Amino acid sequence: MTDWPEARSDDNRGGRYGRGSGSAQPEGARVMRQVRRGPAAPAGQGAYGGVPQQPSYVDGQGHGGSDGYDSGYNTGQVYGRPGGGGPGGPGGGPGPGPRPAPDWRRRIKWTAITVVTVLVVTTVGTYFWADSKLNRDVDLSTVVDRPEKGEGTNYLIVGSDSREGMSDEDKKKLHTGSAEGKRTDSMMILHTGDNGPTLISLPRDSNVTIPEFKGSESGKSRPAMGANKLNAAYSIDGPTLLVRTVEFNTGLHIDHYVEIGFGGFASIVDAVGGVEMDIPQDIKDTKSGADFKKGKQTLNGEEALAFVRTRYALAGSDLDRTKNQQKFLSALANQVATPGTVLNPFKLYPTMGAGLDSLVVDQDMGLFDLAGMFWAMKGVSGGEGKSMNMPIAGSAGNGNLQWDMPKVKQLVEQLKNDEKVTVSGN
């Protein structure tokens, strides 16, 4: 039995090309369902003789005429399941429901977790990177005969004339000269506590006694030397003898030591984008390179260094210079602590890199101690604290500046007890 209609048996195919035929002649083109090709075959006779005619695409809806055959090509129906259409089609089940709404609570939760994780990792990484850059070269444990520690924290901040790492071009540009060795260009005590910060400048020409000490390199004891300038202590045996001398002459315990050289100072100012200063008078000093007009202006690293080093163009010489140094350092700290620096990684990291690379600190100094120091200096410029020079009584017989010792004693007592400072300086 065959499925072929009676007129389409294998015996009737003759010499047509097709299955089982050896003829090379191809059979005629079949009429496709979608396109009518030529006139329709006579009624009752298909294209192959006896095969019912296939409906043609006539009315644009897949109907070939009165037989009602539906080709299914134009309805958008999908027939995928046996015995009936696909979902939503004839004989099929219901179509897919609406797309579920996004779970915003879950998305927000995971976004918050991701952001917090990134912040924690970045903060921890930054901390260890910054901590590794601190130059902890000063061992305060070698300082002998130290006064008792008081309330609050005392930092000895030193600006040295170190030219380490500077090229000849840098030295010429910054007007530093090429002297060998290191000397102190500025010295300040910063006290922090519960009654606001106090910043006290120690004039470099202060008349002091350099006490007996043991050489940091030789290990040999050296006798006391009276009637010397304060900055001579640093020149003789560096930071530890300077700390020893300040403690001996004031009776104030120094907790931390911080030092910065010429090149590092200029680099920090440039990294932070300059510091705005209100200069009260015209200043011109060929030795420091200062050349400023009165008024507000933003100083770059080179100009800032010239400003804090100038003394010959000032009426009060070294005492006026120390006041300018206090103003500038407070303004610098305030600039570093602004959101524009702290929240801008393109400014924060260069500033931190320049500052940490150029600082020399004691072995117990941590990043939080350093941050506390800068924050206190910012407070001084913001009016939360006080800045002053060490009280001066006049000039000593050798031309050095003589401290007003009764006032100095009162000042030190107030600092030791972390009391509000009422003593005034020059």
Side-chain angles (χ1 to χ4, degrees):
M1 183 174 180
T2 178
D3 293 333
W4 290 95
E6 183 178 351
R8 188 64 181 89
S9 67
D10 290 341
D11 294 339
N12 294 337
R13 288 188 297 175
R16 298 187 182 190
Y17 177 80
R19 187 173 60 185
S21 170
S23 172
Q25 180 180 359
E27 61 185 353
R30 298 180 180 179
V31 176
M32 298 182 67
R33 296 178 180 177
Q34 296 88 343
V35 182
R36 180 193 298 277
R37 294 181 182 271
Q45 184 178 356
Y48 294 97
V51 178
Q53 178 182 354
Q54 300 299 309
S56 60
Y57 191 88
V58 175
D59 61 1
Q61 297 181 356
H63 300 289
S66 61
D67 59 0
Y69 178 82
D70 184 358
S71 68
Y73 285 107
N74 70 321
T75 65
Q77 300 171 0
V78 178
Y79 299 93
R81 295 193 291 190
R99 185 175 181 179
D103 187 347
W104 287 109
R105 179 176 293 181
R106 187 169 180 270
R107 290 188 181 185
I108 292 172
K109 171 187 172 183
W110 283 106
T111 299
I113 291 174
T114 301
V115 170
V116 170
T117 301
V118 170
L119 287 175
V120 169
V121 171
T122 302
T123 302
V124 172
T126 299
Y127 175 86
F128 284 104
W129 165 77
D131 188 72
S132 68
K133 295 178 77 66
L134 275 178
N135 301 309
R136 297 182 174 93
D137 297 337
V138 180
D139 185 4
L140 294 183
S141 68
T142 62
V143 180
V144 299
D145 297 332
R146 308 194 68 184
E148 220 176 291
K149 180 174 170 53
E151 300 293 328
T153 303
N154 299 310
Y155 299 84
L156 180 60
I157 303 171
V158 175
S160 76
D161 64 359
S162 171
R163 298 157 179 84
E164 186 175 349
M166 296 175 61
S167 64
D168 290 339
E169 183 179 351
D170 291 335
K171 294 174 185 177
K172 183 177 180 180
K173 178 182 177 182
L174 299 176
H175 300 270
T176 64
S178 300
E180 296 296 328
K182 293 197 303 182
R183 285 155 294 277
T184 51
D185 207 56
S186 62
M187 291 161 285
M188 303 178 190
I189 294 174
L190 174 67
H191 174 84
T192 64
D194 295 334
N195 284 289
T198 302
L199 186 61
I200 307 160
S201 286
L202 309 175
R204 55 185 290 179
D205 294 341
S206 296
N207 194 55
V208 297
T209 297
I210 298 178
E212 180 183 357
F213 68 98
K214 184 179 292 185
S216 57
E217 294 184 4
S218 66
K220 296 180 179 179
S221 294
R222 298 186 61 172
M225 295 178 286
N228 264 276
K229 292 182 179 180
L230 179 60
N231 66 343
Y234 183 93
S235 300
I236 293 170
D237 202 47
T240 52
L241 181 55
L242 179 60
V243 171
R244 166 89 168 111
T245 302
V246 170
E247 290 186 341
F248 179 84
N249 286 270
T250 63
L252 188 67
H253 181 93
I254 300 298
D255 298 290
H256 292 295
Y257 177 91
V258 182
E259 178 187 327
I260 187 169
F262 283 160
F265 179 83
S267 296
I268 294 175
V269 175
D270 285 334
V272 83
V275 176
E276 185 180 77
M277 289 293 297
D278 188 0
I279 299 178
Q281 64 184 70
D282 292 351
I283 299 176
K284 189 172 182 63
D285 184 355
T286 57
K287 292 191 175 182
S288 68
D291 189 2
F292 305 110
K293 297 296 182 183
K294 178 182 178 180
K296 285 187 177 181
Q297 50 205 284
T298 299
L299 307 184
N300 61 25
E302 178 184 350
E303 294 166 337
L305 185 59
F307 177 72
V308 299
R309 294 183 62 220
T310 296
R311 62 171 175 165
Y312 293 105
L314 305 176
S317 188
D318 201 39
L319 292 178
D320 282 350
R321 177 171 71 165
T322 56
K323 293 176 182 177
N324 285 341
Q325 290 170 347
Q326 290 176 348
K327 291 177 184 177
F328 187 86
L329 289 179
S330 296
L332 174 60
N334 188 66
Q335 178 69 23
V336 170
T338 59
T341 300
V342 175
L343 300 180
N344 183 353
F346 298 103
K347 186 178 286 188
L348 174 64
Y349 284 98
T351 301
M352 290 179 65
L356 296 173
D357 277 340
S358 57
L359 291 179
V360 176
V361 300
D362 64 272
Q363 294 180 354
D364 294 328
M365 173 75 85
L367 287 178
F368 290 108
D369 298 312
L370 195 61
M373 183 192 81
F374 272 97
W375 193 260
M377 292 181 69
K378 178 179 180 293
V380 171
S381 66
E384 300 170 9
K386 181 174 183 176
S387 61
M388 57 183 287
N389 276 321
M390 186 65 83
I392 302 295
S395 295
N398 55 7
N400 298 336
L401 296 174
Q402 186 65 50
W403 291 354
D404 187 334
M405 293 312 297
K407 283 188 174 182
V408 170
K409 184 177 180 180
Q410 183 183 358
L411 171 64
V412 169
E413 285 301 313
Q414 291 176 342
L415 295 177
K416 278 185 175 182
N417 297 323
D418 194 25
E419 299 171 353
K420 186 176 180 60
V421 173
T422 60
V423 179
S424 60
N426 298 74

